[in-house]
Amino acid sequence: MVDSVVTFLLNNVTQLLVEESKLLCGVKGQVELLQRELRTINAFLQNTERSEPTNIVVKEEVSQIRDVAYEAEDVIDTFIVKATIHTRRIVFGKVIHYWKQASALHDIAQDIERINNVIKEINDRRSRYPIEKAESGEVAEAEEILHRRRRSVEEDQVVGFSHDIEALVKQIVEGGSRRDVIPIIGMGGLGKTTLARKIYNNDRVKNHFDVRGWVYVSQKYRIKELLIDFLKAVRPTSKLMILKDELHQELFQKLEAAPIKDELNQLELFKILEDMKEKDDEEFKELLFKELNHIKDSVLQRIKKRKAEEKKIESELQLIKEEKDSESQRIKEEEEKEKEKELQRIKEEKKRDSELLDQIRGIEEIYKKNCKDLQDFTEDELKKGLSRCLQGRRYLLVLDDIWDNKVWDEVNTAFPDKSKGSRVLITSRNKEVAVHAASPHIRPHELPFLNEEESWELFSKKVFRGDTCPAGLETLGREIAKSCDGLPLAIVVLGGLLANKEKSDRIWKKWAGHVNSYLTEDRSHCIDILALSYNHLPRRLKPCFLYCDSSISKSRRFSIQCATLIDISSDPYRYPSSSRSLLCFGDDKILYDESYLKRLCKMFKLVRVVNLGNMGAFSSIPKKIEKLILLRYLRIQTGELGVIPASICNLWNLETLDLRNSKIKCLPNEVWSLQKLKHLYLGGPTSLPRTNTKALPNLQVLTGIAINQDTESLLAKARFPNVKKLGLHSSRWTEPTLLSSLHPLPHLQTLKINGLNHLGRQESLHLTLTKITLLCKNLSLSVLTVLGSLTELRILKIRGENMEQKELNCDGSSFRQLQVFKVANLKFTSWNLGRGAMPRLQHLVIDNCNLLNMLPDELWSLTALRDVEVLYPSKDLAEKLQQLRMKSECKLQVYPPLDASN
């Protein structure tokens, strides 16, 4: 986290030097020096990143660096706020109050110089006391400790898994013969490992598979270690043996050579040696040595027998030579030749047997030369060895806690697919990894949060350990359990802490309102486990969570306000003015007046994020909001306003403005001054102000905009040249020129239109749209015709509002790239799917279209189709789906379930 603090501040200082050089007049040199010092510090932090968990000196240094970095940020931000307000007063001809430019420059110069001296002192100390990098063993030990913590928590008793276990066991045991990869995904603490372990140890699963293996992957994986762990998991250590590549090749070269090949060919098992190359090395060795020992015994007996025969024939030859005379010479010579020929045959057989013994000794020598330690094998050799271990077996392998696509790409080649019905189960927090690894026809199993009843069940099990909760504590206990927001990890940790406390109303009331702080204090169980997700983020994204770090001293950087205005006014020390994130929660049924906002604007001048979206609406927005100079994110709900106040448009750092639950008729002309704005969410329909020259070049998301002549003109003139997502409201029957006005938006990918009925016929469309969502009361046939011609469209969702539509027509060769098609609340009776339409469709959802009695036959011939969901179908359609035979690659889901449709 600390390196993110410094990186974030370094980026701010760099941006400040570029964009606000006028404001920094007089202190630019000091700020540039600070920039150089921060770069040095940042490099140090990156180099010592792996040492941080174990090195006490590093921990102390990064703590000092963090504090000085925050102090530098406070100094610079405070100066920017004051300088900006001062500039505005000069512009508007007002008197400067309480602040003079000269004194302010002097103050910031002194502050920055002092901070630079502190950083210099830290650097000097570091050179005097050099820090050695942590040994790999220390790092591995730290990782193992965290892993044990995680296992002790995540494998605790968890409720709410009965349906998940039943569904996954069925999928694993009753699936097809191909090797399937089934991912379980969800955020840290939802119980992925627990669920996987329950499946792994299920009796039905254990009896179904020949081989099972479980390996914990983690973020800091090593492929070689994973492969070795898998080998140890699937083979008993006493029988674990694999051959090095060159020895494996040498072995089969020797087995292919005569005379050993002739001997083995007489055995049924060894007739096709090529098939034996993929056999488990240890099993093959046992089979081979059994036969070789049998051959060796036979050869030794033959050699012994032939020696005797050789001796006998030699004696007989000697006798023949001695008895030879003139009368019997011819007969004796013929007899001698026969004996010599027989002797030669015996010698040749002895030679062959000798060669055979040499070959056997050579084969035995191969195994003696083999490595004893698995660490001595290469990754490729381990993969081949593991593949041979699994060959011909039905196996279940679990890769627990996988974070990176590369892990799967590296190891999956070691998992053979020989149509034995093998399965690979993976758990991951990363949906991208799950989708990447999953078999094409399988959707990742996503774990939900627990509901309130399940949360209470788990909490009471953990706290009371089988006993009953006292009636007087149940209400408080349910409140505490509910505050964990359905996260099993938090409930288990909190329950474990309370299990060792006095079970009284007084103690539990103390905990009820401060669950987050207690979970934060117990880092060893909850925060460090959840922090794994943060650690996995790329460096560029870590600053997004900069002010959510519970480890920051004095709570200087993160402030969640769950309080009323009276609370904030009465306890200012609980809400530090240096807070950069302000997340407010309150009664969403109350209409707040502007005094609440005025107080916040006065107390939190350095804030960058203000989220008031979880409160009720505000009757108005005060002008004082423009004093939040550093504000980058603002989410707020308002009552019905004709126009938002122009003062919001003075927030020149604003990047996200979220007013989607507000009723705003139009935006002020000053909105064009928000040049850094990237995301503008409006409830709609809201009109845009006209302009002939201005634009919002950084805007990427724009929603809630009313379609009218001014809007189409602004779109056509590319006033939002980089917009990627556009949300529009239509109030007219037809929009004849809407799509053509989108042509100047080359980056537009997502379009949502509320109220669209009809589109004029388009001669030629070359749009980059990949996703379209339509919300409509009526829909003309022309709309699908026009949308079907969009060449890049991947996702189409149509939701009606009790819309009556007799038929849905998709012409042949339309929707050539469409992958996801969802229709909901449409009252259509037939769907015509032309030949060649939707050839790449993978996922189809039909939701609450209860007049539809049949799906088109052409649908089931789509080769890419993998998933069909039909929700609340008509009785006729449900019966027809029940009789349907699905191809193995496509999964049909009907809700309510088919057996309950009556």
Side-chain angles (χ1 to χ4, degrees):
M1 174 60 85
V2 181
D3 63 322
S4 295
V5 174
V6 177
T7 301
F8 185 69
L9 179 56
L10 185 56
N11 291 338
N12 278 355
V13 170
T14 303
Q15 185 177 351
L16 194 66
L17 288 168
V18 174
E19 297 179 3
E20 305 301 330
S21 55
K22 290 182 180 178
L23 288 177
L24 294 172
C25 181
V27 291
K28 191 174 181 180
Q30 288 95 325
V31 175
E32 287 175 342
L33 177 59
L34 176 62
Q35 181 189 35
R36 290 193 293 271
E37 294 288 355
L38 287 172
R39 281 177 178 159
T40 304
I41 287 287
N42 201 34
F44 160 71
L45 288 173
Q46 291 180 37
N47 287 336
T48 57
E49 190 173 10
R50 286 184 63 82
S51 304
E52 194 167 344
T54 56
N55 196 305
I56 297 174
V57 179
V58 172
K59 283 185 177 181
E60 178 59 31
E61 291 225 339
V62 295
S63 174
Q64 294 173 12
I65 291 167
R66 177 192 59 214
D67 290 342
V68 75
Y70 281 136
E71 188 177 359
E73 185 184 32
D74 283 348
V75 167
I76 292 173
D77 284 353
T78 302
F79 176 76
I80 291 298
V81 169
K82 288 183 177 181
T84 304
I85 294 172
H86 166 64
T87 303
R88 286 177 183 169
R89 286 171 177 166
I90 292 176
V91 170
F92 291 104
K94 295 184 178 180
V95 179
I96 301 174
H97 299 287
Y98 309 111
W99 188 76
K100 293 181 180 179
Q101 187 177 13
S103 63
L105 286 171
H106 180 265
D107 290 345
I108 189 176
Q110 282 191 326
D111 287 337
I112 292 177
E113 185 178 357
R114 176 175 49 78
I115 290 167
N116 280 331
N117 287 336
V118 172
I119 295 176
K120 186 175 183 300
E121 186 179 336
I122 292 173
N123 285 330
D124 290 344
R125 275 203 306 272
R126 196 171 68 247
S127 62
R128 289 198 299 271
Y129 309 108
I131 298 167
E132 296 180 2
K133 283 194 174 183
E135 295 294 326
S136 59
E138 293 177 354
V139 176
E141 184 181 355
E143 290 175 13
E144 180 59 29
I145 291 171
L146 182 56
H147 174 43
R148 285 200 299 269
R149 282 185 204 157
R150 171 181 171 274
R151 286 279 297 275
S152 69
V153 174
E154 287 200 1
E155 289 188 18
D156 214 300
Q157 47 189 319
V158 175
V159 301
F161 276 168
S162 56
H163 174 72
D164 301 273
I165 293 170
E166 183 182 349
L168 285 168
V169 167
K170 183 176 181 181
Q171 186 177 12
I172 286 170
V173 173
E174 298 179 10
S177 60
R178 297 293 302 273
R179 183 202 72 182
D180 281 343
V181 182
I182 305 167
I184 300 173
I185 57 172
M187 73 167 283
L190 275 179
K192 300 179 296 298
T193 298
T194 305
L195 175 59
R197 186 68 70 178
K198 285 179 179 292
I199 293 165
Y200 185 79
N201 291 324
N202 180 277
D203 288 338
R204 190 180 174 197
V205 171
K206 286 196 285 188
N207 294 332
H208 183 73
F209 291 96
D210 305 324
V211 175
R212 294 180 306 133
W214 181 295
V215 167
Y216 172 63
V217 182
S218 83
Q219 290 173 324
K220 296 178 180 178
Y221 63 88
R222 301 176 189 87
I223 294 298
K224 179 180 276 193
E225 297 300 328
L226 293 180
L227 294 168
I228 291 173
D229 288 345
F230 265 125
L231 281 163
K232 290 178 178 177
V234 301
R235 294 287 287 168
T237 307
S238 60
K239 293 191 174 183
L240 178 55
M241 190 280 296
I242 63 172
L243 273 176
K244 288 189 71 65
D245 268 2
E246 64 268 20
L247 296 179
H248 192 266
Q249 292 171 15
E250 185 184 346
L251 172 64
F252 279 88
Q253 285 172 359
K254 286 185 180 296
L255 294 176
E256 289 284 356
I260 192 72
K261 182 179 179 180
D262 301 329
E263 294 286 337
L264 292 173
N265 274 346
Q266 297 175 30
L267 304 169
E268 188 67 30
L269 190 64
F270 291 89
K271 276 190 175 177
I272 307 176
L273 268 176
E274 195 64 31
D275 292 347
M276 304 298 286
K277 288 182 180 179
E278 295 183 356
K279 197 166 183 63
D280 177 286
D281 287 332
E282 179 62 32
E283 283 190 2
F284 181 72
K285 179 186 175 183
E286 289 179 5
L287 288 171
L288 179 62
F289 273 48
K290 180 181 177 182
E291 297 304 328
L292 290 180
N293 288 332
H294 176 71
I295 293 170
K296 193 195 296 185
D297 290 343
S298 298
V299 169
L300 290 173
Q301 287 177 10
R302 288 203 305 264
I303 289 174
K304 185 177 180 182
K305 181 181 176 183
R306 283 168 182 150
K307 276 185 178 178
E309 289 176 350
E310 184 181 25
K311 190 173 182 180
K312 179 183 175 185
I313 291 171
E314 284 176 345
S315 298
E316 289 175 350
L317 270 173
Q318 184 63 34
L319 189 62
I320 289 170
K321 288 177 180 179
E322 289 174 356
E323 293 178 349
K324 227 189 318 183
D325 56 28
S326 58
E327 292 181 4
S328 60
Q329 186 169 351
R330 186 176 58 81
I331 297 172
K332 293 294 183 181
E333 283 178 355
E334 287 178 2
E335 193 176 336
E336 183 180 1
K337 283 180 182 179
E338 286 297 322
K339 293 293 180 182
E340 285 178 347
K341 194 182 294 184
E342 190 176 350
L343 184 61
Q344 182 63 32
R345 177 184 60 78
I346 291 172
K347 286 182 177 180
E348 286 174 358
E349 288 177 351
K350 278 180 61 182
K351 181 182 179 184
R352 180 182 177 280
D353 286 342
S354 179
E355 288 175 357
L356 195 54
L357 287 176
D358 287 342
Q359 276 187 304
I360 292 173
R361 281 192 288 269
I363 290 168
E364 291 172 339
E365 194 62 34
I366 286 174
Y367 286 97
K368 289 179 182 177
K369 290 190 293 184
N370 195 39
C371 298
K372 304 297 182 187
D373 192 337
L374 290 174
Q375 291 288 351
D376 296 331
F377 290 84
T378 66
E379 286 180 12
D380 195 50
E381 289 169 337
L382 291 169
K383 288 177 188 177
K384 291 176 181 176
L386 176 57
S387 180
R388 293 194 291 267
C389 281
L390 299 173
Q391 202 69 240
R393 294 182 171 91
R394 182 192 293 143
Y395 58 83
L396 169 66
L397 302 178
V398 180
L399 281 81
D400 183 27
D401 199 30
I402 178 171
W403 292 77
D404 197 336
N405 290 345
K406 293 178 183 176
V407 179
W408 177 249
D409 293 339
E410 287 278 3
V411 301
N412 95 89
T413 55
F415 307 149
D417 185 1
K418 295 295 183 182
S419 298
K420 292 285 186 180
S422 296
R423 303 287 182 258
V424 180
L425 189 65
I426 70 172
T427 71
S428 180
R429 304 186 192 190
N430 190 333
K431 189 170 185 177
E432 181 186 338
V433 171
V435 172
H436 176 77
S439 297
H441 60 286
I442 289 178
R443 295 178 67 190
H445 187 92
E446 195 158 357
L447 282 186
F449 290 89
L450 300 180
N451 59 36
E452 288 186 22
E453 200 56 42
E454 290 169 337
S455 297
W456 166 242
E457 182 186 347
L458 177 59
F459 179 78
S460 55
K461 276 184 178 179
K462 187 65 182 174
V463 175
F464 300 106
R465 297 168 184 173
D467 294 336
T468 305
C469 172
L473 287 179
E474 183 169 343
T475 302
L476 264 176
R478 285 182 175 273
E479 181 185 340
I480 293 171
K482 183 181 177 182
S483 64
C484 293
D485 292 323
L487 184 65
L489 171 64
I491 296 169
V492 168
V493 171
L494 200 62
L497 294 171
L498 280 173
N500 299 316
K501 302 286 182 184
E502 178 188 335
K503 295 171 181 62
S504 67
D505 187 80
R506 178 181 62 84
I507 295 294
W508 282 31
K509 276 183 178 177
K510 180 182 174 184
W511 282 62
H514 305 89
V515 166
N516 282 341
S517 60
Y518 285 111
L519 287 175
T520 300
E521 286 175 8
D522 187 28
R523 295 187 62 84
S524 65
H525 283 101
C526 196
I527 296 301
D528 283 353
I529 294 171
L530 295 178
L532 290 170
S533 296
Y534 169 81
N535 295 334
H536 184 64
L537 289 171
R539 290 179 62 83
R540 61 184 175 80
L541 291 182
K542 286 185 178 180
C544 297
F545 294 85
L546 186 57
Y547 304 122
C548 301
D549 181 14
S550 59
S551 68
I552 295 170
S553 58
K554 304 178 184 177
S555 301
R556 296 177 66 238
R557 291 297 180 260
F558 182 44
S559 179
I560 299 181
Q561 316 304 333
C562 307
T564 65
L565 181 59
I566 297 173
D567 293 331
I568 294 175
S569 303
S570 62
D571 191 5
Y573 296 105
R574 186 178 168 191
Y575 307 96
S577 60
S578 59
S579 294
R580 297 304 205 276
S581 295
L582 193 61
L583 312 179
C584 296
F585 299 84
D587 192 336
D588 58 4
K589 296 179 177 62
I590 294 178
L591 182 65
Y592 294 87
D593 61 31
E594 67 175 27
S595 61
Y596 194 105
L597 274 175
K598 284 181 178 178
R599 172 69 66 172
L600 295 182
C601 294
K602 183 178 179 181
M603 292 181 64
F604 303 101
K605 293 179 181 177
L606 303 181
V607 73
R608 286 196 175 97
V609 173
V610 173
N611 187 343
L612 308 173
N614 296 302
M615 302 177 65
F618 287 83
S619 58
S620 62
I621 300 175
K623 187 178 185 302
K624 283 189 175 181
I625 200 166
E626 69 181 9
K627 291 188 176 181
L628 303 181
I629 307 298
L630 306 174
L631 198 63
R632 297 183 180 184
Y633 177 99
L634 174 62
R635 183 184 176 197
I636 189 171
Q637 300 181 56
T638 69
E640 191 162 346
L641 298 178
V643 63
I644 63 171
S647 55
I648 283 184
C649 301
N650 288 328
L651 300 171
W652 50 272
N653 280 307
L654 201 62
E655 295 179 1
T656 298
L657 178 58
D658 189 341
L659 298 160
R660 72 184 101 188
N661 291 320
S662 305
K663 298 177 181 178
I664 297 167
K665 292 181 180 178
C666 62
L667 296 176
N669 290 325
E670 289 80 2
V671 74
W672 300 105
S673 64
L674 293 174
Q675 291 295 291
K676 293 183 181 180
L677 196 64
K678 293 180 180 178
H679 310 97
L680 177 56
Y681 300 97
L682 299 165
T686 304
S687 297
L688 294 168
R690 298 178 182 177
T691 181
N692 291 322
T693 57
K694 296 178 180 177
L696 295 176
N698 291 304
L699 196 67
Q700 297 175 17
V701 177
L702 176 62
T703 68
I705 302 301
I707 304 176
N708 53 39
Q709 191 173 354
D710 289 338
T711 299
E712 291 191 22
S713 174
L714 292 168
L715 293 173
K717 291 178 180 177
R719 297 301 177 210
F720 317 105
N722 292 302
V723 73
K724 296 178 180 177
K725 181 178 181 180
L726 185 62
L728 302 172
H729 284 253
S730 173
S731 57
R732 302 180 290 195
W733 167 253
T734 182
E735 300 293 350
T737 58
L738 173 61
L739 291 182
S740 59
S741 68
L742 303 180
H743 275 126
L745 305 177
H747 304 289
L748 185 63
Q749 295 178 349
T750 303
L751 175 65
K752 183 176 182 179
I753 307 179
N754 194 328
L756 180 70
N757 297 311
H758 180 74
L759 284 169
R761 190 161 185 83
Q762 310 290 318
E763 293 300 325
S764 176
L765 283 175
H766 302 286
L767 298 177
T768 55
L769 286 166
T770 58
K771 179 180 179 181
I772 293 179
T773 303
L774 301 179
L775 307 174
C776 39
K777 293 182 179 178
N778 209 331
L779 190 68
S780 70
L781 295 176
S782 67
V783 173
L784 281 182
T785 303
V786 172
L787 299 183
S789 66
L790 297 175
T791 57
E792 301 296 325
L793 190 62
R794 303 288 197 279
I795 301 171
L796 175 60
K797 298 182 180 181
I798 304 175
R799 178 175 290 277
E801 297 178 10
N802 297 317
M803 185 177 79
E804 292 189 9
Q805 184 83 23
K806 289 186 178 180
E807 58 183 19
L808 205 65
N809 288 320
C810 300
D811 298 336
S813 301
S814 61
F815 299 103
R816 301 295 298 169
Q817 301 296 332
L818 196 69
Q819 297 175 5
V820 177
F821 184 38
K822 179 176 181 179
V823 289
N825 300 334
L826 296 188
K827 307 294 182 183
F828 65 107
T829 55
S830 66
W831 176 18
N832 301 317
L833 188 64
R835 179 172 293 183
M838 302 186 180
R840 290 179 171 79
L841 187 67
Q842 297 177 15
H843 184 51
L844 171 68
V845 181
I846 309 288
D847 184 2
N848 203 25
C849 300
N850 47 30
L851 296 183
L852 183 65
N853 295 324
M854 182 180 291
L855 295 179
D857 293 336
E858 292 81 2
L859 179 68
W860 310 116
S861 63
L862 299 178
T863 57
L865 193 63
R866 293 290 178 267
D867 206 358
V868 176
E869 293 182 54
V870 183
L871 311 177
Y872 303 102
S874 66
K875 184 178 179 181
D876 287 346
L877 181 58
E879 289 175 353
K880 288 172 183 174
L881 292 174
Q882 197 164 21
Q883 299 169 6
L884 194 66
R885 286 191 176 184
M886 300 295 294
K887 54 185 180 182
S888 60
E889 296 83 6
C890 185
K891 183 179 181 182
L892 173 65
Q893 300 178 71
V894 181
Y895 184 86
L898 290 173
D899 56 3
S901 59
N902 293 325

